[in-house]
Amino acid sequence: MVSEVKSMISPDILDFNAYFPDDCKSFSFLIQVMVGPKGENSSESFAMEVCTPNWLNDHREEYESVIGKGKLIVFKFDLPNILSRIEKIFDGCTGKDWNEIAINLSRYGHWEFENYQERMP
């Protein structure tokens, strides 16, 4: 089985084609990558925060430390390059089943079903 990026959306960006940050050297936005098995009509969300080192530094008083999981740290604003990089991360991952693929992809982005456990009656 192989993963395929179905779409990318952001609660912070309404239109990827029109978006430009106020400060190209210090910005952050959330992106949700919808990924599913190639050729199938299903997908699950993997969330990543795209930010610059300057943004992390500018907000260091808010956080004592920052864990890198779920972050794509970029050095300049180049949205086509950022989206291409994200697609390369999530597209084409292989595994014996979707669960194995999703667990592997969750190393890069926060999977919506990460740590999910079915409730037993």
Side-chain angles (χ1 to χ4, degrees):
M1 183 172 279
V2 179
S3 69
E4 177 179 49
V5 173
K6 310 291 182 167
S7 65
M8 290 186 245
I9 57 175
S10 173
D12 301 324
I13 301 172
L14 297 177
D15 181 358
F16 283 127
N17 295 322
Y19 177 73
F20 206 80
D22 294 333
D23 182 347
C24 289
K25 294 184 179 185
S26 180
F27 64 87
S28 169
F29 60 85
L30 181 68
I31 192 160
Q32 290 174 277
V33 187
M34 304 306 294
V35 184
K38 188 170 187 155
E40 294 186 21
N41 204 16
S42 62
S43 62
E44 295 177 5
S45 175
F46 294 83
M48 294 187 87
E49 180 181 22
V50 177
C51 62
T52 61
N54 287 345
W55 185 88
L56 290 170
N57 192 46
D58 292 346
H59 293 84
R60 70 178 181 264
E61 291 184 15
E62 295 174 38
Y63 311 102
E64 281 187 28
S65 62
V66 177
I67 296 173
K69 180 180 177 182
K71 292 200 178 351
L72 176 62
I73 301 168
V74 299
F75 296 95
K76 66 180 182 176
F77 182 75
D78 180 346
L79 194 54
N81 193 27
I82 291 168
L83 297 178
S84 175
R85 179 67 177 118
I86 291 170
E87 188 166 359
K88 286 177 185 172
I89 291 168
F90 289 95
D91 203 51
C93 181
T94 60
K96 69 179 190 292
D97 58 24
W98 173 249
N99 194 57
E100 183 177 294
I101 291 171
I103 288 170
N104 287 336
L105 295 177
S106 72
R107 293 178 178 135
Y108 302 102
H110 296 284
W111 178 30
E112 66 180 308
F113 295 111
E114 198 166 337
N115 300 318
Y116 171 79
Q117 294 181 9
E118 243 182 87
R119 292 180 71 185
M120 300 305 266

